[in-house]
Amino acid sequence: MLPKAPRRTRERILELSLGLFNEFGEPNITTTVIAEEMNISPGNLYYHFRNKDDIVNSIFVQFEAEIERILTVPDGRRSNIDDVWLYLHLMFELIWRYRFFYRDLNDLLSRNRKLELHFKLILAHKIKVATQLCEDLRSEQSLEASDAEINAMATNMVVVATYWLSYEYVRNPRKYTEQQAMADALARGCYQVLSQLAPYLRGETRVLFNKLSEDYLKKLK
């Protein structure tokens, strides 16, 4: 087997920057810090990226490509409650991987026009997917809700998911970087979002939801 080619400096800068932004917050990290952590000169860093916003935007391109893959409803069949559960798991895992975008969201959008425009599109796409999932459940008579109720549910699901990590950070900032604490936080987030559907679920789907919730809540104790 041929040895792996060494990662290019640009890729290493993006990976390191993502880690630093996630751990310390994007506003607290400068290009000087990134260059020092990379053990390269500032000039070498600026050869690859014009400034910190260029790094942030490049990371956002990666994030956007990954989230587009997740925001795809199953082809050829209606979605079921398992699809919703899986969708939320994947979404929260991605949110955690790029958590600085969500933790520092308001600050980033106030000074980065590209992020402002593209994040609006992502939120709209999330609401569209959540609406489609709810409508599929309704078509299967697994969910009983009006169009207005589905629109409200879809919006609420996206709002909770978008700001869940900020809530968890405020609730317990000292444990924000602890792996088990945040794994539990993400699990709570999935449950909290999915619980928005609970009052509207019917039949076997409600039974399955109760079972999934029971198993989930046991793990969090």
Side-chain angles (χ1 to χ4, degrees), residues 5 8 16 19 42 54 59 64 84 99 108 120 125 130 147 149 158-159 165 172 184 196 220:
R8 295 183 303 162
L16 176 73
D54 196 13
I59 294 174
E64 203 168 21
V84 180
R99 56 192 175 275
L108 283 165
K120 283 181 182 178
H125 197 172
D147 288 345
E149 288 170 329
V158 172
V159 170
L165 288 184
N172 206 341
D184 291 344
Q196 312 259 348
L220 295 176

Side-chain angles (χ1 to χ4, degrees), residues 131 134-135 138 143-154 200 202:
T131 300
C134 291
E135 288 176 346
R138 183 172 65 179
L143 181 144
E144 186 177 323
S146 65
D147 288 345
E149 288 170 329
I150 285 177
N151 289 337
M153 268 190 288
Y200 302 93
R202 301 291 181 264

Side-chain angles (χ1 to χ4, degrees), residues 128-146:
K128 180 180 178 181
V129 170
T131 300
Q132 182 65 57
L133 292 171
C134 291
E135 288 176 346
D136 284 353
L137 289 173
R138 183 172 65 179
S139 297
E140 294 295 317
Q141 298 184 333
S142 298
L143 181 144
E144 186 177 323
S146 65

Side-chain angles (χ1 to χ4, degrees), residues 66-152:
E66 291 186 44
I67 205 166
E68 282 296 325
R69 288 194 290 271
I70 292 175
L71 293 175
T72 304
V73 295
D75 287 329
R77 65 175 178 84
R78 293 189 178 96
S79 305
N80 54 41
I81 196 68
D82 286 323
D83 293 318
V84 180
W85 200 265
L86 176 61
Y87 164 73
L88 288 174
H89 270 283
L90 295 174
M91 182 60 62
F92 270 98
E93 286 175 3
L94 186 65
I95 288 173
W96 177 248
R97 173 165 161 69
Y98 293 94
R99 56 192 175 275
F100 84 92
F101 282 127
Y102 289 83
R103 178 179 166 184
D104 304 323
L105 185 58
N106 292 352
D107 181 67
L108 283 165
L109 298 189
S110 69
R111 55 185 172 80
N112 190 313
R113 180 65 173 164
K114 178 181 178 181
L115 262 61
E116 178 191 347
L117 295 174
H118 284 244
F119 224 96
K120 283 181 182 178
L121 294 176
I122 288 173
L123 289 181
H125 197 172
K126 284 182 180 180
I127 292 173
K128 180 180 178 181
V129 170
T131 300
Q132 182 65 57
L133 292 171
C134 291
E135 288 176 346
D136 284 353
L137 289 173
R138 183 172 65 179
S139 297
E140 294 295 317
Q141 298 184 333
S142 298
L143 181 144
E144 186 177 323
S146 65
D147 288 345
E149 288 170 329
I150 285 177
N151 289 337

